[in-house]
Amino acid sequence: MPRKLWQVKLCCPHPGCEDKELTSAGIYPRVRQVFDLDSYYNLAAEYLECRKCKRKVISWSRPIIEQLDVGHQLQFPILITYKYACDIRVIRLLRQRGLGNSATQLQKKLTEQHSEKYLNDTIHYLTDCKYFHDAYQSGLITQPSFGSPPEFIQVPSYKWFLTVYAQDVLPRMTEIKSSITATFGNILKMDSTKKVVKKLAGYSTGTAAWATNVGNEYGQVLFFYF
């Protein structure tokens, strides 16, 4: 993360550090593979260390990314899981799921995309090897040695896609709840009835005379009170 170039101050996310500024502590030794639409790419990061608690934080972890402004956060379109990481373009395909657009169906489509990309890359590699082999037979170069093409990396299961989708929804949980419970619709209608009141049981028996509900033009009940 180019902290000095962006001139941002990153603080320790652990409680009790009183927003102590983090300093660079070397390169994170593990490189993550990020799952994309048709292939994988690698994600490297650095360690950030707190001078007070002496604990280290990975630069692409969620508590660090959230300290940046929105413009810089958009430059990290990745969600991290325990084993892999997922590009945000894949997660967008999981939104607005319905019939024929399940996580299993998406997993099959992405498997086809990855397989075709792997076959294309393998053909390109073998074609380049042929050029060097022909040059060797013509006496232009010494005998080259070719390695086998890399193995195909399997696409994660549909359960992993659902886990990544849940991580994408969690930061927006408040907005999603407010949109579900908000009053919406152009036509509001109100209706009162005594039939529901007669079905009350227990301590609420006989405590209400009317039951009133407010709905919209879609037939959805927005409010219901006695």
Side-chain angles (χ1 to χ4, degrees):
M1 179 182 297
R3 297 182 297 111
K4 296 181 180 180
L5 179 64
W6 291 346
Q7 297 181 358
V8 294
K9 178 182 178 181
L10 301 176
C11 301
C12 181
H14 299 101
C17 291
E18 300 177 354
D19 295 334
K20 193 69 175 180
E21 185 175 1
L22 296 171
T23 58
S24 300
I27 302 298
Y28 182 62
R30 183 176 181 180
V31 177
R32 286 293 186 98
Q33 284 189 324
V34 183
F35 183 83
D36 205 354
L37 292 176
D38 58 357
S39 61
Y40 288 86
Y41 60 89
N42 296 325
L43 173 66
E46 65 174 333
Y47 262 139
L48 300 176
E49 185 178 12
C50 178
R51 296 180 180 178
K52 184 175 181 180
C53 64
K54 302 301 180 181
R55 285 184 285 189
K56 294 182 179 180
V57 185
I58 305 173
S59 59
W60 43 248
S61 59
R62 176 59 59 178
I64 300 300
I65 300 299
E66 290 178 349
Q67 297 182 30
L68 302 175
D69 55 68
V70 179
H72 289 137
Q73 289 185 24
L74 294 178
Q75 299 187 34
F76 293 88
I78 298 170
L79 284 181
I80 307 297
T81 60
Y82 178 75
K83 188 175 182 180
Y84 296 109
C86 187
D87 194 278
I88 193 66
R89 293 184 296 178
V90 178
I91 302 173
R92 292 194 186 105
L93 300 178
L94 290 169
R95 300 172 182 172
Q96 302 297 329
R97 289 183 293 115
L99 294 176
N101 189 28
S102 62
T104 303
Q105 185 68 20
L106 177 63
Q107 193 262 353
K108 293 180 180 179
K109 293 180 180 179
L110 293 177
T111 300
E112 183 178 359
Q113 294 284 347
H114 278 240
S115 300
E116 291 185 1
K117 183 66 165 54
Y118 172 76
L119 291 177
N120 292 336
D121 293 342
T122 302
I123 293 174
H124 291 162
Y125 172 74
L126 296 177
T127 302
D128 293 338
C129 292
K130 182 178 181 299
Y131 290 149
F132 284 97
H133 181 70
D134 294 341
Y136 163 70
Q137 289 184 339
S138 301
L140 299 177
I141 60 175
T142 59
Q143 183 177 4
S145 60
F146 306 107
S148 301
E151 296 183 359
F152 176 73
I153 303 178
Q154 296 295 329
V155 175
S157 64
Y158 72 94
K159 296 182 180 179
W160 181 81
F161 288 103
L162 293 177
T163 302
V164 174
Y165 176 69
Q167 290 190 11
D168 175 59
V169 172
L170 285 177
R172 299 181 284 109
M173 185 63 68
T174 304
E175 290 78 6
I176 294 175
K177 288 183 178 179
S178 61
S179 63
I180 294 176
T181 58
T183 303
F184 61 95
N186 297 322
I187 303 174
L188 299 181
K189 55 185 179 180
M190 184 174 63
D191 182 34
S192 298
T193 179
K194 288 186 177 182
K195 295 181 180 180
V196 179
V197 176
K198 296 178 181 180
K199 297 181 181 181
L200 295 177
Y203 294 104
S204 59
T205 303
T207 58
W210 289 89
T212 304
N213 60 76
V214 179
N216 57 14
E217 67 269 25
Y218 304 108
Q220 298 171 331
V221 178
L222 304 178
F223 300 102
F224 193 90
Y225 55 91
F226 297 95

